[in-house]
Amino acid sequence: MSLDFAISWEVFEIIWINLLLSGDNAILIALACRQLPVRQRRWGVFLGALGGIVLRIAFTLVIVQLMTIPYLKIVGAALLLIVAVKLLIDETEHSDVKAKPNLWSAVGAIIMADAVMSLDNVIAIAAAARGSTTLIVFGLLLSVPIVMFGAGALLKVLERFPLLVWAGAGLLGWVAGDMAAADPALPTYVHVTDHGTLELGLSIAGCALVLVIAFVVAIYRQWREDQRA
């Protein structure tokens, strides 16, 4: 794999993961700003999204540093697998998000909620960037205008083509496996002669695990609904 392709793939991973996991944040922004005048609403969306991205960059850089500690990448990979499965099987409600009466209260609410909601996003981006600060900043900044101006269209596309969500969840599983393979504690328990083979194997396993678990849960839920009918 050439260096240019590897970098392009990592940037693609960061942008796609950020967009996929920012659906809740986009809905939050829309709900928090819905009672503002049109001009203030635009500023609320812009400042809220920008503040959230700045916080996300800062949190991600901290996570990248922490990931050098043995076992933390394995823990992060496990959390990422859970996030990927929940992406497919959860239905999140946003009716409790209150509209804010003025610009700065809306911006503050967006940033605070984004900080609370973004742990999954931060772990996923840190894994996809493979420790590169440049890729983290570049990928997140590049996704800012898409999140701000295209979030509504993105959500409609994902609703119309649910296979894209499954593909995104599979990508998260892939990144989780890749992340686990890079944990410095792994050689203590696994004799690694070819790290590339191990990385590929764990990536495929992570992707398959997410899709199989989500598929089984979907089948079970459908069976429960049929039993109730």
Side-chain angles (χ1 to χ4, degrees), residues 55-229:
L55 272 181
R56 204 169 299 172
I57 290 173
F59 290 163
T60 307
L61 295 179
V62 171
I63 291 292
V64 165
Q65 296 303 314
L66 291 176
M67 287 300 177
T68 58
I69 300 173
Y71 301 104
L72 280 188
K73 282 190 176 179
I74 295 175
V75 173
L79 291 174
L80 207 50
L81 289 173
I82 294 171
V83 168
V85 172
K86 288 182 69 178
L87 183 67
L88 294 174
I89 66 176
D90 270 10
E91 296 180 359
T92 306
E93 296 292 334
H94 302 274
S95 58
D96 58 339
V97 180
K98 296 180 180 179
K100 300 301 176 181
N102 59 71
L103 175 62
W104 294 112
S105 63
V107 171
I110 292 167
I111 293 175
M112 289 299 295
D114 193 86
V116 173
M117 294 167 60
S118 292
L119 177 61
D120 54 355
N121 201 306
V122 165
I123 293 174
I125 291 169
R130 294 166 179 83
S132 172
T133 301
T134 303
L135 285 178
I136 291 169
V137 175
F138 178 74
L140 284 175
L141 288 180
L142 194 61
S143 63
V144 167
I146 306 175
V147 171
M148 286 192 298
F149 304 115
L154 175 68
L155 290 173
K156 290 179 181 178
V157 169
L158 293 178
E159 288 175 0
R160 185 172 181 181
F161 303 103
L163 280 179
L164 291 176
V165 181
W166 283 79
L171 175 61
L172 286 174
W174 181 281
V175 170
D178 184 74
M179 185 183 198
D183 194 288
L186 200 61
T188 306
Y189 303 96
V190 179
H191 180 61
V192 181
T193 56
D194 184 354
H195 189 270
T197 302
L198 176 67
E199 183 179 297
L200 178 61
L202 288 179
S203 297
I204 293 173
C207 177
L209 182 64
V210 166
L211 297 179
V212 167
I213 291 175
F215 183 73
V216 169
V217 170
I219 293 295
Y220 174 73
R221 285 183 172 177
Q222 185 61 48
W223 177 78
R224 288 285 300 271
E225 289 180 6
D226 291 343
Q227 290 293 102
R228 291 171 183 169

